Amino acid sequence: MDNENTKSLEVTSKHTFKETIREKLPFLFNIRSLFYFFWAMVFLGFLWMVYSLFTNSFTQFYPWTDYFGQYVTMTHYYWDCWHNFFKTGYFELYSPNTYLGSDNIGSNAYYGLFDPFLVICYIFPRVWIPQTFAIATMFKGAVGAMAMRAYLRYMGVSESTSRVGALAFAFNGWCNYFVGFPSFLSIAFTFPMMLLGIEKVIKERKPTVLVFALFLLGISSFFFLVVGCIWGVLYAIWRYFWTIRERKAKDSIAVIGLGIAAFAVGILLSSWTLFPSIRESALSGRTTSIGQGYLEALKTAFKGKDFGGLLKLLFEPVGRNPG
């Protein structure tokens, strides 16, 4: 009798546990859920770099000087920096790692000091950084896919088409070309997230997503915060006038104010990395050589009314400018 009761309790317990899991985590039982879509993107990321992983000791060590000579090498210092911070509460603001030393935030924010994807490197042993750095790349593509899918769905695109668009975005030409410049790849997900945020401001007057996207973009790469804000504002202006008939006059005015405030707050939240980075960049030789030469070429073309040459310069990589 006792054995029968025990068995009955075990069956009931198993049944209850299974039903509880199904109720609380229904996505685990749906192969088409976003949970499995995300991990499918991670797996595709693995396949995308599988040759490199199996021929380079599970790393992406190809002859990309910036990748292994700067990004991966510097991540060893970031690992030390963050582990020391969580152990002692002290965050190094002035780093002696480069020559006589430099501003830690201003010098290293561009190379990934605050890159959220590098958390993957920090939770594993320091000697694994070359391998975990490659794993982080897989997650960059997957998160980018999720952000693009969210934007497309919000714009009314069907679920299946949104996922195709997300897949195309995760492995687009930009991501393929700049895989050797990890900070360029880290910020990819913030662009569809920023577009989604702009749409939410225009349609729902909700600025949270836009503010968060700009904040993540700013701490990941101040370099692209400038680009993102310029094109983000242009996109916002276009969408504002495209949808203006859908709003009342007072709502249209509110959208302008809220949009400006959202951009301002997002930039200010990342200002602790933005301003030190701008300062360090201003001290760089590139600013006074290539950068200054490029700006002079732009001004000369504009003053000479050479608009064809001006347009060509605007779409020319700065590094190719003779300045």
Side-chain angles (χ1 to χ4, degrees):
M1 188 69 177
D2 290 339
N3 290 335
E4 290 180 2
N5 288 336
T6 302
K7 289 180 180 179
S8 177
L9 286 172
E10 288 178 355
V11 171
T12 304
S13 178
K14 288 179 181 178
H15 177 74
T16 304
F17 178 74
K18 185 177 180 180
E19 290 301 316
T20 300
I21 293 296
R22 187 180 290 276
E23 181 183 344
K24 299 296 183 181
L25 305 172
F27 57 86
L28 292 177
F29 301 89
N30 181 7
I31 194 64
R32 296 184 178 182
S33 69
L34 290 178
F35 174 78
Y36 289 110
F37 176 69
F38 173 81
W39 287 106
M41 292 298 101
V42 173
F43 180 68
L44 286 176
F46 169 76
L47 295 180
W48 175 54
M49 62 175 73
V50 68
Y51 177 79
S52 168
L53 298 179
F54 280 98
T55 58
N56 290 281
S57 303
F58 208 83
T59 73
Q60 288 183 291
F61 279 178
Y62 281 122
W64 302 323
T65 305
D66 286 44
Y67 182 85
F68 67 80
Q70 296 181 357
Y71 285 100
V72 177
T73 301
M74 290 175 171
T75 302
H76 289 81
Y77 165 67
Y78 305 157
W79 192 98
D80 295 337
C81 191
W82 284 112
H83 275 252
N84 182 63
F85 171 71
F86 285 108
K87 186 182 294 183
T88 66
Y90 170 74
F91 186 83
E92 192 171 54
L93 295 178
Y94 187 83
S95 171
N97 268 331
T98 49
Y99 301 105
L100 296 177
S102 63
D103 181 336
N104 189 16
I105 295 176
S107 299
N108 292 314
Y110 171 83
Y111 291 100
L113 180 60
F114 302 107
D115 185 339
F117 290 101
L118 292 189
V119 170
I120 296 171
C121 298
Y122 306 145
I123 61 177
F124 290 101
R126 192 176 187 270
V127 294
W128 293 6
I129 285 176
Q131 288 74 31
T132 53
F133 210 93
I135 294 173
T137 302
M138 303 176 199
F139 282 89
K140 292 175 186 180
V143 173
M146 296 295 284
M148 179 54 76
R149 177 261 168 202
Y151 168 67
L152 293 175
R153 285 294 292 140
Y154 191 81
M155 296 300 288
V157 180
S158 68
E159 180 65 35
S160 58
T161 305
S162 294
R163 294 193 181 196
V164 172
L167 173 63
F169 179 80
F171 302 101
N172 62 39
W174 169 275
C175 294
N176 277 276
Y177 185 81
F178 282 114
V179 71
F181 292 83
S183 62
F184 286 35
L185 199 57
S186 296
I187 53 86
F189 81 98
T190 62
F191 287 112
M193 188 177 176
M194 184 172 64
L195 298 183
L196 174 62
I198 291 171
E199 292 293 336
K200 282 185 171 289
V201 169
I202 292 174
K203 295 178 182 178
E204 303 179 47
R205 267 73 78 195
K206 293 181 178 179
T208 307
V209 175
L210 178 56
V211 169
F212 193 53
L214 290 168
F215 166 70
L216 288 174
L217 179 55
I219 65 171
S220 298
S221 176
F222 78 97
F223 188 80
F224 286 103
L225 179 63
V226 177
V227 177
C229 286
I230 292 173
W231 291 105
V233 168
L234 291 176
Y235 176 85
I237 292 172
W238 170 60
R239 289 294 295 159
Y240 174 83
F241 286 108
W242 188 267
T243 60
I244 197 166
R245 292 183 179 180
E246 301 173 8
R247 296 182 299 275
K248 296 179 181 179
K250 64 176 183 179
D251 291 331
S252 291
I253 295 173
V255 165
I256 294 175
L258 189 59
I260 293 173
F263 270 93
V265 171
I267 293 170
L268 286 174
L269 285 175
S270 63
S271 61
W272 50 276
T273 64
L274 176 63
F275 294 134
S277 297
I278 290 176
R279 176 184 176 277
E280 288 298 307
S281 298
L283 299 174
S284 168
R286 292 185 179 182
T287 306
T288 56
S289 57
I290 297 175
Q292 188 62 39
Y294 181 66
L295 290 175
E296 288 297 328
L298 288 174
K299 288 193 291 184
T300 301
F302 182 77
K303 289 179 181 178
K305 298 181 180 180
D306 180 12
F307 298 114
L310 179 64
L311 189 64
K312 183 179 178 181
L313 284 169
L314 286 174
F315 289 94
E316 176 188 75
V318 177
R320 291 183 182 173
N321 191 273

